[in-house]
Amino acid sequence: LGRHLVLPALMCGIDRVWFPHTGVFPGSQLSLPFQCPVDHVIEIQSFVTRKPTYPVLEHSFLNNTRVSDEFKQSKVLVKLGVDLQLGSTDKQVVEQLGKYSEYKVLKLDAVVLNDVDSFGGFEDEQTNTAFEQRLMTSTGVWGTAKERPGHVHYDFFADRAPWKDRHLRYRTKPWTLVGGENPFPE
């Protein structure tokens, strides 16, 4: 569609700190959970600097005073399962959303419905593999609490089983919290 993705606001249940902690930076007045910056979850530079680039913007983009009112008001709500069928491939997305080409902003009402992803991947297998590899290696880490030292990497595909994560750990059961490079429990 030749558009930029405006990410949703993200909520974090623990502050991103490089050492074991109690959930918030020592001395901070932060209350959990909190609306966190995108770089707490996604290594955003990997989307915008590595080829191919995937242009993404922070959730607050449409609140920026430098964005014209005309742009902000040119929007349509896209209903998942109605306007956009679940599991649509890249070509199907273009076909289904092409009718909204006059709008500057397409707002999806959801990205998952009944545990089915809205995007079913790219039809070209090589492109799809490259995209999934980028997603797998573009997530941030969060330092875990004192009771469970180590880093936990976000995983866009945590709902898949079986699945091999970025540390090549193979998982056959639903996702569980595993710090560092520890193996998944069997």
Side-chain angles (χ1 to χ4, degrees):
L1 294 173
R3 296 173 179 263
H4 289 61
L5 174 64
V6 178
L7 297 168
L10 302 173
M11 297 300 291
C12 288
I14 191 169
D15 201 0
R16 185 172 176 175
V17 179
W18 57 93
F19 53 83
H21 56 91
T22 59
V24 297
F25 198 89
S28 164
Q29 300 299 313
L30 183 66
S31 296
L32 300 175
F34 68 104
Q35 186 174 308
C36 56
V38 72
D39 67 356
H40 270 40
V41 179
I42 300 169
E43 300 294 341
I44 204 72
Q45 71 278 4
S46 72
F47 280 95
V48 297
T49 60
R50 289 172 37 202
K51 301 289 183 194
T53 59
Y54 300 106
V56 294
L57 301 165
E58 281 266 9
H59 72 94
S60 58
F61 171 75
L62 294 173
N63 297 330
N64 190 312
T65 56
R66 292 179 287 179
V67 177
S68 73
D69 288 338
E70 175 188 2
F71 186 94
K72 293 176 190 177
Q73 292 166 5
S74 177
K75 63 183 173 184
V76 64
L77 180 66
V78 175
K79 295 180 180 168
L80 188 56
V82 177
D83 303 309
L84 179 60
Q85 297 308 306
L86 295 168
S88 294
T89 66
D90 59 322
K91 292 178 182 172
Q92 292 168 329
V93 168
V94 170
E95 182 180 304
Q96 293 169 48
L97 298 184
K99 62 187 171 193
Y100 300 122
S101 61
E102 79 256 24
Y103 293 98
K104 305 281 187 214
V105 178
L106 306 181
K107 181 176 181 176
L108 299 177
D109 69 343
V111 292
V112 175
L113 185 64
N114 300 324
D115 294 328
V116 179
D117 292 337
S118 57
F119 185 55
F122 291 89
E123 288 185 11
D124 178 73
E125 191 174 327
Q126 188 174 7
T127 302
N128 195 62
T129 299
F131 180 70
E132 286 191 356
Q133 185 66 31
R134 175 75 60 84
L135 288 178
M136 190 170 24
T137 59
S138 297
T139 54
V141 299
W142 36 276
T144 56
K146 287 184 178 180
E147 307 82 53
R148 199 174 191 128
H151 287 90
V152 175
H153 293 260
Y154 286 95
D155 187 345
F156 285 117
F157 304 106
D159 58 338
R160 291 185 181 176
W163 177 244
K164 189 184 292 187
D165 74 3
R166 72 189 298 167
H167 300 291
L168 305 179
R169 297 176 298 187
Y170 188 74
R171 174 175 42 80
T172 58
K173 297 179 180 176
W175 185 87
T176 56
L177 179 65
V178 178
E181 284 76 40
N182 298 320
F184 285 112
E186 290 301 321

